Amino acid sequence: NAGVTQTPKFQVLKTGQSMTLQCAQDMNHNSMYWYRQDPGMGLRLIYYSASEGTTDKGEVPNGYNVSRLNKREFSLRLESAAPSQTSVYFCASRLLAGGSRSYEQYFGPGTRLTVT
Amino acid sequence: GQQLNQSPQSMFIQEGEDVSMNCTSSSIFNTWLWYKQDPGEGPVLLIALYKAGELTSNGRLTAQFGITRKDSFLNISASIPSDVGIYFCAIRGRDDKIIFGKGTRLHILP
């Protein structure tokens, strides 16, 4: 099992360009999440998807769109990138089930995005 | 929105020392989580707490869910170099969102 994979690992964009960050998990998890991490700000939730076909806004959704393509894949799109979106983006997934580990999220390795 | 106050922001300690950090909220939550992030990687769950007053250990780590359900703390005993990293508290909020604190960055002095 690869767990949670993210592509690309690094990306540089110019202001106004668009791009899609890809995330996939092979653990048959129900929920998937996108976070951004900025120095001193911790992890902030952008969007999440509790199940295939549903998406909901998190703490900082402005400037982003998401697609839950199927149970495995959850993509994050920047339609018109801005320097304020320079950050490290993490995708995560978790299994919605009972038990002591039901809130355990598994994180991908991150995508380091710079917008100039 | 939901906000967690995590302290301290950073710590510099000697190897072998014990470490204590905490997380507070103005709201009540029923699930508190502690994660660790190593440099260049995503966070990994250390301990999950589901019951007020619960004290749970994972090796040298011990975490407690406060009686008021508005706070939690994490202790690390006899720190070692691989404990370096960022420690996050997190809570399960409304609609099953998982919200993170800003983190405590742990440095170990040689």
Side-chain angles (χ1 to χ4, degrees):
Chain A
N1 284 355
V4 180
T5 57
Q6 291 183 237
T7 56
K9 287 196 169 181
F10 300 94
Q11 183 71 49
V12 179
L13 292 177
K14 293 188 188 308
T15 297
Q17 285 186 317
S18 62
M19 80 160 294
T20 300
L21 280 63
Q22 306 287 354
C23 174
Q25 51 89 13
D26 61 2
M27 297 174 283
N28 202 34
H29 283 176
N30 306 97
S31 294
M32 297 186 74
Y33 306 77
W34 276 105
Y35 291 89
R36 61 177 288 174
Q37 184 174 27
D38 304 294
M41 297 298 292
L43 289 153
R44 291 183 292 172
L45 182 63
I46 305 171
Y47 270 93
Y48 71 108
S49 170
S51 62
E52 186 179 350
T54 67
T55 61
D56 286 286
K57 294 179 180 179
E59 301 169 273
V60 288
N62 290 347
Y64 305 95
N65 285 303
V66 289
S67 295
R68 183 75 183 268
L69 305 169
N70 47 55
K71 193 170 185 180
R72 289 187 65 247
E73 298 171 288
F74 188 39
S75 62
L76 178 71
R77 182 158 179 84
L78 286 70
E79 289 290 351
S80 179
S84 61
Q85 294 178 304
T86 294
S87 188
V88 181
Y89 291 85
F90 286 101
C91 177
S93 72
R94 72 179 176 97
L95 182 66
L96 277 181
S100 62
R101 307 292 280 186
S102 62
Y103 296 108
E104 178 170 8
Q105 287 175 305
Y106 291 81
F107 282 81
T111 294
R112 282 143 185 82
L113 176 68
T114 302
V115 183
T116 61
Chain B
Q2 300 151 354
Q3 187 167 3
L4 299 177
N5 298 309
Q6 193 170 348
S7 65
Q9 284 189 342
S10 64
M11 305 180 73
F12 292 82
I13 62 167
Q14 300 281 353
E15 183 178 347
E17 285 185 20
D18 295 344
V19 173
S20 185
M21 60 191 77
N22 68 76
C23 203
T24 62
S25 171
S26 56
S27 301
I28 289 173
F29 295 105
N30 292 322
T31 303
W32 285 83
L33 309 162
W34 285 94
Y35 283 80
K36 184 197 178 197
Q37 184 180 29
D38 290 324
E41 298 187 12
V44 174
L45 182 70
L46 298 173
I47 293 177
L49 301 160
Y50 299 104
K51 192 174 171 185
E54 180 181 356
L55 187 72
T56 297
S57 293
N58 178 5
R60 293 178 296 106
L61 278 61
T62 302
Q64 184 156 28
F65 189 158
I67 288 289
T68 64
R69 291 189 284 159
K70 291 183 177 182
D71 60 359
S72 178
F73 73 76
L74 176 71
N75 283 347
I76 305 173
S77 62
S79 57
I80 60 177
S82 62
D83 290 334
V84 164
I86 306 176
Y87 292 80
F88 292 101
C89 63
I91 50 88
R92 181 174 69 93
R94 289 177 300 175
D95 303 325
D96 246 10
K97 295 177 187 176
I98 295 180
I99 304 296
F100 284 73
K102 293 184 179 180
T104 293
R105 189 179 290 272
L106 181 63
H107 305 267
I108 296 184
L109 303 169

